[in-house]
Every structure is written in structure tokens, then in C-alpha cells.
Amino acid sequence: QVSVYQVLDKMRPEAPEGRKLLASRLLALQGSGWEVFAITQAVRDWTEDESSNQGLLVSVQSLAGGPPDPPGVRFASGRDHHESKKPMLVLFTDDGRRGASLPTGAFPDLQPQAPILPAKMTAPKGSGPRSARSLDRLQPCQRHPLSVDFEEIGWSGWIISPRGYNAYHCKGACPFPLGENMRPTNHATVQSIINALKLSEGVSSPCCVPDKLYSINLLYFDDDENVVLKQYDDMVAGSCGCH
């Protein structure tokens, strides 16, 4: 679990009153590359009061609450790594030429969000399907299982084997800004910026779709009742991304 805090008291950054949570996310130890965290709330505070800028605190913990086993996590510093690996702060500002300010709704991570842990959750009273749908929209784009039964979809009359398979499907949000974990195309990145800044009407945010598809082998009857074994392409969603 990687958490990014705004430091409120440089003398006590580890104390609850000495920091404010900006964003938090679960990452796989096997992964590598860039991660994007929205820290708009802190930057707005700094622009209003420059002296309040006491930096950021990045905390890394295992799911058990302690430090991850080394050498699982390393931070790339400018001194020990290539220039391209230095952390950076990207700002999207309004130069006034369009006569409109940047909408706060463009930043879905303005409010701190607790990490989504693999645990059972009990819905509070009064929460129904609407709450579940809202939670789904907050989930990042990722692959989910999709069990396909050929008999249920009316294909069992010509497919001999298998009786079904896991096709997987893609579901989740592609929030601005898009990080590498979202596997975005360059076009999706540009579209995400235009959507967030509302520079053009009718431009939606990128969609969560399969970006890699795999084939499966089907044993079936052809039109002449011959038994045929054939490889069918693009039947399984191998991975998902924002496109």
C-alpha cells in the first residue's frame, strides 16, 4: 500500500496531526514503472499560502501493516538513477485565455480514498444497488472473470468441446490523470486531458477495454456435420487498458 501525504508539520510528519492523506493505492510488488497520484488539494493549499509548503510524505506498507520485505520496494532518486526516473509534479493550469477556470470535478482523486482491500464488506443500512454502482465506478480499470456457458448462449448445438470457458471482461474507471498501470494509449492520454479540462463538448473519458486478446481451440460440427478442431482468435481478454 503506497500512501501520499501532505506534510502539515515538518517536525512531526509521522504524527496524525502532522500530515494529511492525499491518495492511497495498492500496488503489486512485482510491478515497476511510473505511478500517478493526484495531489491537487495540497498544491491549492500551497498556492494560497506558500509558507505552508512543507513537502510530501510517501509511505509504503505491506497489507499486514508493516514495512514490505526488502528488496521489494525501492524509490528512484535523481542521484542514483537516470534523469528520466526522477519524480515530477505535473500541473494543468488555466492561462485565462478561455475565460474559464479548471473545474474541480476533473480531478477524481481530490478527496482521499481508502485503498480497496481484498476483504468482505457489509453494506450500511439504506445502501442499495445505487451504492454498489457508485463503488464500481470508483474501481480502476481491470480484468474480471466472465464465465461463458455455451449451452446458456445457445451454442451447445454445434460446439462439442469445451462446454464453456473463462472469457474475462474489462470493467472500471479511467480517471484523470492516467498512470502507466492503466496501460493507456497516447490517444487515451490526450483524450483524458481534453475531457478533464472540458476543452471540447461531448468528449468522454477513455474507456476500459481489452488491449490484449487470446485464442481458444474449439471442437465443433461444421455445416456438413464434420467434426472440426479450429483455433478461434480474440476469444479471451488477456489484459485491460484505457483506450
Side-chain angles (χ1 to χ4, degrees):
Q1 177 185 342
V2 179
S3 303
V4 180
Y5 297 89
Q6 177 184 355
V7 177
L8 304 177
D9 186 346
K10 211 166 188 177
M11 303 302 294
R12 299 182 302 162
E14 298 290 344
E17 61 274 14
R19 62 186 183 180
K20 179 168 63 176
L21 180 64
L22 299 173
S24 187
R25 185 179 307 148
L26 292 180
L27 301 176
L29 283 175
Q30 295 81 8
S32 64
W34 286 92
E35 290 294 331
V36 178
F37 295 89
I39 60 167
T40 309
Q41 188 175 355
V43 174
R44 285 197 173 125
D45 290 344
W46 298 341
T47 55
E48 292 177 3
D49 179 8
E50 188 176 341
S51 63
S52 69
N53 185 353
Q54 301 191 59
L56 300 170
L57 173 67
V58 180
S59 170
V60 181
Q61 289 184 319
S62 68
L63 287 181
D69 295 332
V73 176
R74 290 197 309 155
F75 289 101
S77 65
R79 182 178 62 256
D80 302 325
H81 294 81
H82 189 268
E83 182 81 16
S84 64
K85 295 187 180 297
K86 282 186 177 182
M88 66 179 68
L89 176 64
V90 180
L91 296 178
F92 296 90
T93 61
D94 177 21
D95 61 6
R97 287 184 297 180
R98 296 182 62 86
S101 59
L102 183 63
T104 56
F107 297 91
D109 289 339
L110 272 177
Q111 299 299 324
Q113 295 178 6
I116 302 165
L117 299 177
K120 293 182 179 179
M121 182 174 64
T122 302
K125 289 183 178 180
S127 66
R130 179 181 299 178
S131 299
R133 289 194 297 269
S134 299
L135 184 61
D136 283 342
R137 286 196 294 271
L138 294 177
Q139 302 275 355
C141 175
Q142 55 189 306
R143 191 177 74 151
H144 297 268
L146 175 60
S147 179
V148 176
D149 187 321
F150 288 135
E151 184 174 358
E152 289 181 347
I153 65 175
W155 288 11
S156 60
W158 62 279
I159 295 180
I160 303 171
S161 180
R163 295 184 177 180
Y165 77 108
N166 191 350
Y168 292 97
H169 71 115
C170 299
K171 183 175 67 172
C174 293
F176 171 85
L178 295 177
E180 281 195 6
N181 59 312
M182 298 290 181
R183 303 168 65 94
T185 60
N186 291 333
H187 180 273
T189 300
V190 172
Q191 180 175 329
S192 176
I193 295 172
I194 292 176
N195 168 262
L197 300 180
K198 301 189 183 304
L199 298 179
S200 182
E201 292 185 8
V203 176
S204 62
S205 60
C207 299
C208 179
V209 296
D211 61 0
K212 186 177 292 185
L213 294 165
Y214 297 131
S215 61
I216 64 171
N217 290 323
L218 291 180
L219 190 66
Y220 67 96
F221 292 110
D222 65 10
D223 294 337
D224 298 322
E225 297 298 318
N226 297 312
V227 176
V228 179
L229 178 64
K230 181 180 178 180
Q231 176 178 294
Y232 272 75
D233 296 330
D234 302 338
M235 292 286 282
V236 179
S239 61
C240 301
C242 293
H243 291 200

